[in-house]
Amino acid sequence: MKEKEIKVLMVEPGKAPTVTTIKNELSSLQEAVSIGANYVG
């Protein structure tokens, strides 16, 4: 059975890693990845 939510380790530049829960859907995964991709250091 497919999980509705998954736990992930969010690692963002300049921040401490955090464990968070996101929906196991393509749009949620894309949004989580785009957070780091938009970083300009």
Side-chain angles (χ1 to χ4, degrees), residues 17-32:
T18 57
V19 176
T20 188
T21 304
I22 61 173
K23 292 181 184 179
N24 193 11
E25 298 174 349
L26 179 59
S27 60
S28 296
L29 298 170
Q30 288 173 324
E31 183 179 339

Side-chain angles (χ1 to χ4, degrees), residues 2-20:
K2 183 177 176 182
E3 299 293 325
K4 292 183 180 183
E5 294 183 330
I6 56 175
K7 283 188 179 181
V8 297
L9 182 62
M10 296 291 288
V11 182
E12 297 180 75
K15 296 183 180 179
T18 57
V19 176
T20 188

